[in-house]
């Protein structure tokens, strides 16, 4: 068993930790950035060749997409934990059952989201007061996006299997190829054929299909016990229940985040299409930096899961410390870099001064202090690696999501200023970080880690 897992990815149970956490997290962050680039390239192309309304239509959908997709993406965190735990315990049969169950969940969740997303696209957009000059294009892009969601689920759950064994490089290579395809198709369909929003939606769908096909091929040719065999795909109760126990709280946390962000998006919409476009442009760089945070959080889940199962508590202490400081430094660097060069980076998406003005506000008030979110995200990942998922989810919902909802409903009506809307983000990160870090320390004392 040891030889199989060691050759398949990173040996998380022995030797140094700092370099291995970096080797795990950076390709994962790069993979997430490439996925986000699908949307960013869509926005850049339509922003320059199809107008401000098309840019707003594509860019303002990210919070809606998160609302519908995040629950199942959270369940993939549970799959990551289950596989990592079995590796730490050297349970080959458990790994086989986990792979089979993960494959089944990916197919069912993808089909469910396909119908939910297409059917609810316009009602959701109407519910968040999407302006009349944008809603038809927004609906078209959202429906095309959800037509490709089954492919996204297959790729995310397949990547979770690979992450569990410490392999974050092959999903990155897969995304590099499909990202190039997406960019080429954007130019052909939008610039060459003038298809606008429909063109970028089709390009993204094709790129996601390529991702799914490649990750399936990788898993079918993986060594045992990680090999995907279609005939063995099934729902094994023990693995499914553990996956859901860890994954559903993470998914619900993400969904509540998305609800709060959809509510904030509704407030952004009230400032008009320039605010929507500027906010959407700045949001891209927040996504890029958040993926750094999410990568180190995922590293904490996987490394902690394996080492705790192997009884290596001293390594768990070092895993948290390295994951946290690396996350703060890496995220903080890019927060500062994008904000420093804000004129160049917002200009990629649109050239209108009013769009730039709103983008600058968001970058300086939200993007620059975003590294603060490392505090609760890495601590949450560490807690999930220890088998505690509901606790960080509940604290994050209260400290971040509830606070944001209250801010939008009680503060913004009397202070209808874009700056007042944006400042809720850093406030919520500080509050949530304090709560989750305290919870992590208490759990670690209980587990005998400290």
């Amino acid at each position: 068993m040891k030889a199989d897992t060691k050759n398949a990815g990173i040996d998380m149970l022995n030797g140094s930790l700092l370099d291995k956490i970096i080797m795990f997290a950076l390709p994962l962050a790069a993979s997430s950035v490439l996925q986000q680039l699908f949307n960013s390239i869509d926005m850049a192309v339509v922003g320059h060749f199809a107008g401000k309304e098309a840019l707003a239509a594509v860019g303002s959908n990210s919070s809606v997409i998160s609302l519908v997709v995040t629950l199942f993406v959270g369940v993939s965190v549970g799959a990551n934990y289950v596989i990592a735990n079995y590796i730490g315990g050297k349970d080959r049969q458990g790994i086989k059952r986990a792979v089979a169950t993960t494959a089944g969940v990916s197919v069912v969740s993808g089909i469910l989201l396909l119908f939910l997303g297409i059917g609810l696209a316009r009602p959701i957009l109407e519910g968040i007061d999407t302006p009349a000059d944008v809603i038809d294009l927004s609906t078209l892009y959202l429906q095309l996006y959800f037509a490709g969601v089954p492919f996204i689920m297959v790729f995310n759950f397949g990547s979770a299997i690979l992450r569990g064994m410490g392999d974050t490089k092959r999903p990155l290579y897969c995304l590099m190829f499909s990202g190039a395809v997406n960019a080429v198709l954007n130019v052909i369909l939008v610039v060459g054929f003038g298809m606008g929003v429909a063109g970028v939606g089709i390009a993204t769908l094709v790129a996601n299909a390529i991702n799914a096909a490649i990750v399936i091929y990788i898993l079918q040719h993986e060594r045992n016990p990680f090999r995907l065999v279609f005939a063995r795909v099934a729902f094994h109760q023990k693995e499914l229940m553990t996956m859901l126990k860890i994954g559903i709280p993470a998914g619900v946390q993400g969904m509540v985040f998305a609800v709060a962000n959809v509510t904030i998006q509704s407030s952004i919409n009230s400032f008009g299409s320039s605010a929507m476009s500027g906010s959407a442009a700045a949001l891209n760089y927040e996504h890029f930096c958040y993926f750094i945070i999410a990568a180190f959080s995922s590293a904490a889940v996987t490394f902690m899961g394996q080492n705790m199962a192997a009884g290596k508590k001293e390594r768990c202490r070092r895993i948290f410390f390295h994951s946290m400081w690396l996350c703060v430094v890496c995220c903080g660097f890019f927060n500062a870099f994008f904000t420093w060069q804000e004129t160049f980076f917002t200009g990629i998406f649109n050239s209108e001064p009013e769009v730039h003005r709103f983008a600058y506000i968001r970058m300086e008030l939200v993007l620059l202090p975003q590294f603060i979110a490392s505090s609760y995200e890495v601590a949450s990942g560490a807690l999930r690696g220890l088998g505690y998922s509901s606790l960080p989810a509940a604290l994050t919902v209260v400290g971040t999501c509830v606070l944001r909802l209250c801010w939008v409903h009680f503060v913004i009506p009397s202070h209808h200023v874009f700056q007042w809307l944006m400042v809720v983000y850093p406030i919520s990160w500080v509050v949530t970080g304090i709560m989750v870090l305290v919870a992590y320390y208490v759990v670690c004392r209980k587990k005998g880690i400290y």
Side-chain angles (χ1 to χ4, degrees):
M1 172 66 194
K2 183 177 179 180
D4 282 351
T5 55
K6 186 173 181 179
N7 291 334
I10 297 171
D11 181 4
M12 302 182 185
L13 300 174
N14 304 284
S16 61
L17 281 170
L18 180 61
D19 58 331
K20 292 177 181 178
I21 291 173
I22 294 172
M23 288 169 58
F24 180 96
L26 293 188
L28 179 57
S31 296
S32 299
V33 168
L34 282 174
Q35 282 187 297
Q36 176 61 29
L37 278 175
F38 287 1
N39 183 254
S40 300
I41 292 170
D42 292 350
M43 290 174 58
V45 172
V46 298
H48 285 287
F49 295 99
K52 179 176 68 177
E53 289 75 18
L55 172 60
V58 174
S60 63
N61 269 318
S62 59
S63 58
V64 177
I65 290 168
S66 295
L67 175 64
V68 184
V69 173
T70 302
L71 175 62
F72 296 99
V73 173
V75 175
S76 74
V77 174
N80 186 1
Y81 167 80
V82 172
I83 292 170
N85 210 251
Y86 280 140
I87 292 173
K90 297 181 171 59
D91 186 345
R92 293 175 62 90
Q93 293 305 313
I95 294 172
K96 288 182 179 180
R97 293 192 302 270
V99 169
T101 303
T102 299
V105 171
S106 72
V107 172
V108 171
S109 61
I111 293 172
L112 179 61
L113 282 173
L114 168 68
F115 292 105
L116 277 175
I118 291 177
L120 295 175
R122 192 174 187 95
I124 291 175
L125 290 169
E126 289 174 344
I128 62 172
D129 299 323
T130 303
D133 61 341
V134 172
I135 192 165
D136 288 337
L137 292 175
S138 292
T139 302
L140 174 61
Y141 181 79
L142 200 55
Q143 289 178 334
L144 284 170
Y145 183 91
F146 278 106
V149 157
F151 303 126
I152 296 173
M153 290 296 104
V154 168
F155 177 78
N156 282 338
F157 278 89
S159 297
I161 294 172
L162 296 172
R163 285 199 307 273
M165 69 175 83
D167 181 2
T168 56
K169 291 183 179 179
R170 283 182 290 178
L172 172 60
Y173 301 149
C174 170
L175 284 163
M176 289 172 68
F177 176 74
S178 60
V181 171
N182 182 58
V184 171
L185 285 177
N186 269 326
V187 174
I188 293 172
L189 297 177
V190 178
V191 181
F193 290 92
M195 294 179 65
V197 170
V200 297
I202 292 169
T204 300
L205 192 157
V206 172
N208 285 325
I210 291 171
N211 283 337
I214 295 176
V215 82
I216 288 172
Y217 177 85
I218 290 171
L219 290 172
Q220 283 185 303
H221 293 80
E222 187 55 65
R223 67 180 64 227
N224 277 322
F226 301 100
R227 181 178 299 147
L228 173 62
V229 180
F230 288 130
R232 297 178 189 165
V233 173
F235 294 97
H236 296 280
Q237 184 176 2
K238 178 183 177 183
E239 286 68 33
L240 179 61
M241 290 300 102
T242 305
M243 195 180 300
L244 296 178
K245 177 185 174 183
I246 298 296
I248 285 182
V252 169
Q253 173 184 322
M255 283 188 71
V256 179
F257 257 119
V259 170
N261 289 335
V262 165
T263 303
I264 291 175
Q265 183 63 50
S266 180
S267 293
I268 292 171
N269 294 350
S270 69
F271 290 93
S273 58
S274 291
M276 291 173 65
S277 299
S279 178
L283 186 60
N284 276 277
Y285 302 108
E286 291 171 39
H287 285 317
F288 294 153
C289 295
Y290 175 76
F291 295 141
I292 296 171
I293 298 175
F296 284 105
S297 176
S298 182
V301 173
T302 310
F303 278 75
M304 294 282 270
Q306 284 199 27
N307 281 274
M308 196 64 190
K312 299 187 175 185
K313 296 181 180 180
E314 190 275 332
R315 287 176 69 83
C316 290
R317 290 198 298 271
R318 291 192 286 135
I319 288 165
F320 175 76
F321 174 73
H322 288 316
S323 298
M324 181 63 78
W325 80 259
L326 284 169
C327 187
V328 170
V329 170
C330 293
C331 182
F333 171 80
F334 284 102
N335 290 154
F337 178 70
F338 287 135
T339 306
W340 174 48
Q341 294 294 324
E342 59 188 9
T343 302
F344 170 77
F345 287 113
T346 57
I348 292 173
F349 298 100
N350 193 268
S351 57
E352 296 188 19
E354 189 65 5
V355 171
H356 283 211
R357 184 175 72 85
F358 282 104
Y360 297 162
I361 293 170
R362 177 154 192 153
M363 293 178 82
E364 290 167 359
L365 293 180
V366 182
L367 177 63
L368 188 59
Q370 189 187 14
F371 67 91
I372 299 170
S374 304
S375 58
Y376 67 85
E377 289 287 359
V378 174
S380 294
L383 284 167
R384 292 191 173 99
L386 297 174
Y388 290 78
S389 190
S390 297
L391 176 60
L395 294 175
T396 304
V397 165
V398 173
T400 299
C401 307
V402 173
L403 192 155
R404 291 179 187 176
L405 290 171
C406 290
W407 189 272
V408 168
H409 287 290
F410 297 111
V411 176
I412 298 305
S414 58
H415 297 82
H416 193 255
V417 178
F418 193 70
Q419 287 89 333
W420 276 83
L421 181 60
M422 294 295 102
V423 78
V424 70
Y425 285 99
I427 292 174
S428 64
W429 293 332
V430 171
V431 172
T432 308
I434 292 171
M435 291 195 298
V436 178
L437 284 170
V438 170
Y440 170 75
Y441 179 74
V442 170
V443 168
C444 285
R445 289 293 298 269
K446 179 180 177 181
K447 291 280 189 178
I449 295 175
Y450 290 103

